[in-house]
Amino acid sequence: MTPVTDFGDFGNIDIDKLLHSLEDQVSKSEQVQKSMGRLVGRGEDDDGLVVVEYAHDGLRTLDIRPKAMRLSSGELSERIKAVLQDAIEDLQRQIDEFMTETYGKEANPMRMIDNPAALLKDVRRAEGSYERAFEDVMGELTRIRRELDL
């Protein structure tokens, strides 16, 4: 019987590098959780009559200056909605910048949300790699079974 020493690509895995990478990802995830609470998007209309602050937990501040009461209810409503949208977009931009700083441009998890087609492509590529690895393992198990006459 021949000893099994060939593990293909799995035999070349640098365990220390893998563990360091996992520790780095956990550290980055903890940093993201702590930092997200500090990000606040801000929006303000051109006249400074309506100011909004928006964070991960929702609307934090809605300031309506007294002068805004001269606007019609419809116009005030439209300004509030527009300023709120600006604040949400500002928060989203800050999150994207933070995630890019933390993970890098290519590994930014927000990239997946913005480009689902790229995510699907990555999933399909991973699926192909998984299927090849599974076939390799099953082939190796079949070879071992034959060698052992099982």
Side-chain angles (χ1 to χ4, degrees):
M1 177 164 73
T2 310
V4 179
T5 57
D6 181 19
F7 296 105
D9 289 341
F10 293 109
N12 298 322
I13 293 176
D14 182 345
I15 297 298
D16 289 333
K17 184 177 178 182
L18 177 64
L19 290 174
H20 178 71
S21 175
L22 290 172
E23 289 172 358
D24 187 44
Q25 290 300 319
V26 168
S27 173
K28 285 179 181 179
S29 294
E30 290 171 354
Q31 180 184 356
V32 166
Q33 286 179 341
K34 289 177 185 175
S35 297
M36 290 298 251
R38 293 191 298 256
L39 299 178
V40 178
R42 192 169 193 288
E44 182 174 348
D45 71 326
D46 292 336
D47 301 324
L49 300 178
V50 178
V51 178
V52 168
E53 289 184 352
Y54 193 87
H56 75 285
D57 55 350
L59 184 64
R60 286 218 176 143
T61 303
L62 170 60
D63 287 331
I64 301 173
R65 307 285 188 251
K67 196 174 181 181
M69 297 311 188
R70 296 181 187 152
L71 301 172
S72 71
S73 62
E75 189 176 359
L76 180 57
S77 174
E78 289 304 313
R79 283 195 191 200
I80 291 170
K81 289 190 285 186
V83 170
L84 177 59
Q85 186 61 41
D86 290 345
I88 291 169
E89 289 171 6
D90 182 43
L91 176 63
Q92 186 61 45
R93 179 192 51 75
Q94 290 178 44
I95 290 171
D96 190 50
E97 287 174 2
F98 175 76
M99 297 296 268
T100 298
E101 285 175 22
T102 303
Y103 291 100
K105 186 171 183 153
E106 289 302 313
N108 181 349
M110 299 307 290
R111 172 180 75 91
M112 297 173 196
I113 294 170
D114 295 337
N115 190 351
L119 174 61
L120 186 57
K121 182 179 175 184
D122 290 344
V123 168
R124 286 192 176 132
R125 187 175 29 238
E127 180 182 38
S129 296
Y130 168 79
E131 287 175 4
R132 283 189 300 281
F134 180 77
E135 289 171 9
D136 290 347
V137 167
M138 293 309 292
E140 190 63 22
L141 288 174
T142 299
R143 185 188 64 74
I144 291 169
R145 183 179 51 80
R146 285 186 192 136
E147 284 185 13
L148 296 174
D149 261 346
L150 298 176

